[in-house]
């Protein structure tokens, strides 16, 4: 039985204690889990939450159509009330607004008692709101081979039979004292140590793990929790929530050889008594095995795995009146391109109709009376398009190597630009000026044509290169994009802002340009491409308030990975 289907069965048995399940990715296993849950909740309410549901339909409130037809206020039951004690399924949960997520979380905290199923079809940079993911016990991938799902025991009636035998019950005692009479404290300590090692700082996750351990033992007919039960909780609950790599402990020195070796049976029992970390090592291995390789690599670099905030290579979120993800309506006039929210306007006007009729003459026509204060306009939220600006030092004898690296990095970034919804630009500074060789573009053909022959050699006008990158970033930010500057240099400028040689003045001008860059609020990184790390480049990065990376032998792949990690991964 796969962990996803096991998690679905345990959730159906104890929805109030486990909260729900987050299923990432479409596939046969997700469909099997949904079918199992639907069958388990047969006879109870099963509701789906539309992505753009309004607050009245979700929480209950005014029924506009019925109120207009009847001429008086009529209330409607909210979706959360209808789903109480049943199953609440949220398709495309990664697109849910924070407002709707907050209402669902509030209902769960108030004891609505429904099991929440989050269906996530987004990419690596998208995730449902944290308010929901932290309130569901299981985080599972929903993509496996069809063969592996077909081979599972998918008989939902087994769950009903098990519950009728009181093998699992939603009110089961999962206190610390019932987690196994033989070593219950060790079970709790092992899960707590694993949470600490993986950087899982949520007490709710630890409680979920304790509950799932006990339920898993009950499902398998055991009174005491075993290694298998702990390993399941580590794989399905704690491992996917990992935010850091556990520190590897140094191996202890080998014990001295004893003259008289004890019998094998005595040796095993003695090892069990004197090896308290064996259980911790086992569940740690299970947790690490549950983390995908790419996520494991991101954790190793110091970033959280699948943060629900949604990193977003598409840039910062911003409010819009014309397009994007719909938000709640607000009072206002439909002018300046703003759209009238008709339903919300009617909803605001209906409660006042009787009072407004009484204020008019007795023979006034029967019509809907709408005032200026009833008008509502639609709001949207859209992500600004991301732009990576490469500012490359094209001076000196190593110019050809640097430009070749920049060219390769730009082409690699362009290959991902469609997925990341990002653009790139290239500025080269050499001699006595800086030149925009590649304006913001997403066209790989255009980039290759422009990058075919890049000039090199001459002095290092670092201040002019920084000024050009800062000006381009500010211009593009004014157009709604989110710029990110990657400066490839050794930090040793020798041409000042006036185009005159002189290292002292050139250094002062470069630092001044870096401070002006910091004042603009643009994010960036300084990549030191000199043969050895130089203090000048680090000083420029500090003045820019940008990240400093010493990559003396950076190839195109290294530059592209570093920039992508900082811009799209939001590393600190």
């Amino acid at each position: 039985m796969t962990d996803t289907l096991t998690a679905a069965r345990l959730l159906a048995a104890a929805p109030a204690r486990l909260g729900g399940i987050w299923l990432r990715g479409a596939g046969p296993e997700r469909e099997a889990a949904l079918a199992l849950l639907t069958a388990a909740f047969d006879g109870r309410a099963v509701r789906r939450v539309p992505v753009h549901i309004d607050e009245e339909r979700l929480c209950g409130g005014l029924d506009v159509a019925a109120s207009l037809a009847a001429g008086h206020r009529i209330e409607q039951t909210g979706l959360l009330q209808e789903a109480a004690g049943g199953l609440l399924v949220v398709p495309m949960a990664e697109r849910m607004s924070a407002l709707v997520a907050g209402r669902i979380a509030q209902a769960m905290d108030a004891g609505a008692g429904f099991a929440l199923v989050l269906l996530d079809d987004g990419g690596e940079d998208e995730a449902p709101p944290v308010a929901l993911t932290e309130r569901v016990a299981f985080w599972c991938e929903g993509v496996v081979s069809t063969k592996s799902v077909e081979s599972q025991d998918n008989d939902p009636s087994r769950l009903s039979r098990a519950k009728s035998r009181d093998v699992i019950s939603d009110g089961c005692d999962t206190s610390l004292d019932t987690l196994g009479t033989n070593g219950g404290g060790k079970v709790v300590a092992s899960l707590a140590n694993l949470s600490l090692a993986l950087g899982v700082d949520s007490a709710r996750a630890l409680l979920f793990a304790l509950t799932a351990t006990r339920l898993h033992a009950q499902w398998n007919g055991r009174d005491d929790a075993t290694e298998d039960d702990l390993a399941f909780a580590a794989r399905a609950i704690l491992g996917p929530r990992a935010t850091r790599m556990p520190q590897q402990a140094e191996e202890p020195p080998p014990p001295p050889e004893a003259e008289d070796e004890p019998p094998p049976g005595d040796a095993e029992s003695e090892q069990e008594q004197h090896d308290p970390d064996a259980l911790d090592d086992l569940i740690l291995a299970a947790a690490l095995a549950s983390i995908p390789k790419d996520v494991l690599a991101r954790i190793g670099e110091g970033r959280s795995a699948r943060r629900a905030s949604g990193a977003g290579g598409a840039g910062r979120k911003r409010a819009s009146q014309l397009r994007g993800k719909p938000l709640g309506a607000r009072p206002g006039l439909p002018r300046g391109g703003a759209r009238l929210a008709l339903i919300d306007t009617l909803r605001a006007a209906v409660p006042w109709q009787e009072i407004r009729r009484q204020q008019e003459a007795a023979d006034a026509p029967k019509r809907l009376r709408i005032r200026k204060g009833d008008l509502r306009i639609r709001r949207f939220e859209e992500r600004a398009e991301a732009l990576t600006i490469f500012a490359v030092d094209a001076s000196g004898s190593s110019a050809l190597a640097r430009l070749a690296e920049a060219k390769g990095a730009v082409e690699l970034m362009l290959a991902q630009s469609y997925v990341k919804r990002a653009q790139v630009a290239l500025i080269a500074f050499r001699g006595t000026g800086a030149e925009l060789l590649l304006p913001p573009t997403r066209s790989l053909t255009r980039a290759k044509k422009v990058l075919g022959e890049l000039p090199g050699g001459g002095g290092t006008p670092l201040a002019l290169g920084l000024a050009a990158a800062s000006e381009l970033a500010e211009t593009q930010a004014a157009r709604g994009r989110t710029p990110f500057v990657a400066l490839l240099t050794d930090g040793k400028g020798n041409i000042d802002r006036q185009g005159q040689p002189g290292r002292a003045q050139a250094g002062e001008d470069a630092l001044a340009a870096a401070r002006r860059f910091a004042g603009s609020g643009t994010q960036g990184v300084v990549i030191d491409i000199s043969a050895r790390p130089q203090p000048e480049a680090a000083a420029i990065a500090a003045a820019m308030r940008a990240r400093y990376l010493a990559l003396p032998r950076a190839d195109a792949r290294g530059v592209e990975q570093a920039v992508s990690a900082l811009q799209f991964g939001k590393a600190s």
Side-chain angles (χ1 to χ4, degrees):
M1 183 190 304
T2 64
D3 286 342
T4 300
L5 296 181
T6 301
R9 287 194 171 102
L10 298 185
L11 174 62
R17 285 186 171 274
L18 295 174
I21 185 172
W22 174 14
L23 296 173
R24 299 190 294 261
E29 185 170 13
R30 188 174 86 172
E31 299 305 318
L34 278 176
L36 188 152
L37 287 167
T38 303
F41 281 85
D42 185 27
R44 287 178 283 179
V46 177
R47 297 289 185 269
R48 284 182 172 255
V49 181
V51 177
H52 304 310
I53 188 172
D54 57 67
E55 189 171 3
E56 282 74 16
R57 177 65 186 103
L58 182 69
C59 303
L62 180 66
D63 189 331
V64 176
S67 298
L68 291 175
H72 59 85
R73 184 183 182 91
I74 297 179
E75 299 287 338
Q76 65 175 339
T77 303
L79 196 64
L80 296 179
Q81 295 171 298
E82 297 174 1
L87 188 67
L88 190 66
V89 182
V90 183
M92 294 186 292
E94 74 280 1
R95 300 184 182 182
M96 175 165 286
S97 68
L99 176 62
V100 174
R103 294 300 190 191
I104 296 176
Q106 187 179 27
M108 295 178 70
D109 293 343
F114 53 73
L116 181 64
V117 181
L118 302 176
L119 304 181
D120 180 2
D121 297 319
E124 293 181 1
D125 295 333
E126 296 179 305
V130 179
L132 298 184
T133 57
E134 289 303 312
R135 282 171 171 79
V136 299
F138 303 110
W139 294 10
C140 302
E141 294 285 348
V143 182
V144 294
S145 65
T146 306
K147 183 177 179 181
S148 65
V149 173
E150 291 176 349
S151 64
Q152 306 301 325
D153 175 17
N154 291 325
D155 182 9
S157 63
R158 179 184 173 191
L159 180 61
S160 301
R161 294 196 301 270
K163 294 184 70 176
S164 66
R165 297 195 310 265
D166 291 330
V167 175
I168 299 179
S169 64
D170 196 16
C172 71
D173 186 4
T174 55
S175 63
L176 305 187
D177 295 335
T178 65
L179 285 172
T181 57
N182 300 324
K186 183 184 296 184
V187 171
V188 178
S190 297
L191 291 174
N193 290 337
L194 179 62
S195 298
L196 181 63
L198 296 179
V200 181
D201 55 3
S202 170
R204 186 182 282 113
L206 179 58
L207 293 176
F208 282 150
L210 291 172
T211 302
T213 299
R214 180 57 177 164
L215 293 177
H216 192 267
Q218 285 188 341
W219 172 262
N220 290 280
R222 294 187 287 266
D223 293 331
D224 297 338
T226 65
E227 296 176 352
D228 291 339
D229 306 319
L230 284 166
F232 168 75
R235 292 192 306 269
I237 297 177
L238 297 180
R241 287 174 161 86
T243 62
R244 65 169 176 248
M245 286 290 293
Q247 297 180 356
Q248 300 293 333
E250 297 182 0
E251 295 185 1
E257 297 183 358
E259 295 182 0
D260 297 329
E261 295 184 358
D266 296 340
E268 292 177 359
S269 60
E270 183 178 353
Q271 183 178 2
E272 291 178 358
Q273 294 177 0
H274 296 283
D275 191 10
D277 295 331
L279 189 60
D280 288 355
D281 294 340
L282 180 104
I283 63 172
L284 177 59
L288 293 179
S290 69
I291 306 175
K293 294 181 179 179
D294 58 335
V295 178
L296 192 64
R298 290 201 297 262
I299 294 176
E301 294 171 4
R303 291 184 297 278
S304 171
R306 289 188 180 271
R307 299 302 293 177
S309 57
R316 301 185 182 94
K317 295 179 180 179
R318 60 177 182 178
S320 174
Q321 294 181 337
L322 300 177
R323 59 184 178 273
K325 182 175 68 175
L327 299 175
R330 67 174 179 85
L333 299 178
R335 58 189 179 190
R339 301 178 184 178
L340 176 67
L342 180 60
I343 299 299
D344 297 280
T345 298
L346 294 176
R347 185 178 289 117
V350 165
W352 304 98
Q353 295 305 301
E354 187 63 29
I355 297 177
R356 291 172 182 174
R357 289 194 192 98
Q358 296 175 2
Q359 294 175 349
E360 296 181 0
D363 57 348
K366 293 184 177 181
R367 54 182 174 80
L368 186 63
R369 293 157 177 81
I370 298 179
R371 303 291 184 263
K372 182 178 179 180
D374 300 330
L375 297 179
R376 300 291 186 270
I377 58 175
R378 182 70 62 190
R379 295 185 302 154
F380 300 90
E381 180 183 76
E382 63 177 344
R383 286 186 178 272
E385 189 175 38
L387 168 65
T388 303
I389 301 172
F390 287 90
V392 183
D393 182 355
S395 62
S397 58
S398 60
L400 293 179
R402 295 170 184 168
L403 291 176
E405 294 157 3
K407 174 183 176 180
V410 170
E411 292 185 359
L412 289 172
M413 290 288 293
L414 280 167
Q416 302 182 27
S417 62
Y418 180 77
V419 177
K420 297 290 187 179
R421 292 173 289 178
Q423 294 193 1
V424 296
L426 175 64
I427 294 174
F429 52 94
R430 55 182 286 273
T432 58
E435 182 181 1
L436 177 62
L437 297 179
L438 183 66
T441 183
R442 199 186 296 172
S443 171
L444 185 59
T445 303
R446 181 185 177 192
K448 288 183 176 180
K449 181 178 180 180
V450 174
L451 298 176
E453 296 181 359
L454 296 178
T460 308
L462 181 56
L464 294 176
L466 269 171
S470 181
E471 181 180 357
L472 179 61
E474 292 178 7
T475 301
Q476 295 301 314
R479 295 180 179 178
R481 295 190 175 100
T482 302
F484 182 90
V485 174
L487 176 64
L488 284 73
T489 183
D490 58 5
K492 297 180 179 179
N494 54 21
I495 302 294
D496 61 19
R497 288 181 58 86
Q498 306 301 324
Q500 300 299 319
R503 290 189 176 274
Q505 186 61 43
E508 293 179 3
D509 289 349
L511 289 174
R515 286 189 286 268
R516 285 193 294 271
F517 178 92
S520 68
T522 304
Q523 295 185 354
V525 58
V526 176
I527 301 176
D528 191 343
I529 55 175
S530 56
R532 297 179 181 178
Q534 300 293 322
E536 292 87 351
I540 293 295
M544 292 173 61
R545 297 179 187 173
R547 183 75 176 270
Y548 171 76
L549 293 177
L551 300 176
R553 295 180 178 85
D555 55 7
R557 175 64 64 179
V559 173
E560 184 271 334
Q561 289 179 347
V563 173
S564 294
L566 291 173
Q567 182 180 12
F568 300 117
K570 304 296 184 186
S572 58

